[in-house]
Amino acid sequence: MEKEVKIKTNSYKLNKLGYIAFLATGIVFLVLKDFSQASIFWGLALIFDPFNPSRPFQKRPTYQKIWLIVHLLIMLILIVLMLTGK
């Protein structure tokens, strides 16, 4: 039996704001071709779940799963670009 987690509305709005802020900052560093900073900010953006954080990953709609997995893949690609020095 899964335990339901109660999330306050204010923290849910804060999560969206934090996600957007870190994602936008990562995009700025990506445009500047600073892959190390871009990967850091894209990784930190994942901490702030932009969707309903009380819903487990397995029970989320498919588009949310795809969004988060693509976000993670982009972050991993940025880490590889940073390590290869391109």
Side-chain angles (χ1 to χ4, degrees), residues 3-72:
K3 184 178 179 182
E4 189 69 26
V5 179
K6 301 289 183 189
I7 302 294
K8 294 180 181 177
T9 306
N10 291 340
S11 66
Y12 178 61
K13 290 178 184 177
L14 183 65
N15 276 359
K16 277 191 170 184
L17 182 63
Y19 181 80
I20 291 169
F22 278 98
L23 190 64
T25 307
I27 290 171
V28 168
F29 281 114
L30 187 59
V31 169
L32 297 174
K33 297 193 189 271
D34 187 354
F35 299 125
S36 63
Q37 292 294 323
S39 64
I40 289 169
F41 279 97
W42 275 61
L44 288 173
L46 283 173
I47 294 172
F48 299 95
D49 190 353
F51 307 111
N52 186 0
S54 64
R55 178 176 278 177
F57 186 77
Q58 294 80 12
K59 293 186 178 181
R60 291 176 184 228
T62 304
Y63 77 92
Q64 289 181 5
K65 292 178 187 178
I66 291 171
W67 179 273
L68 293 172
I69 290 171
V70 167
H71 182 124
L72 180 65

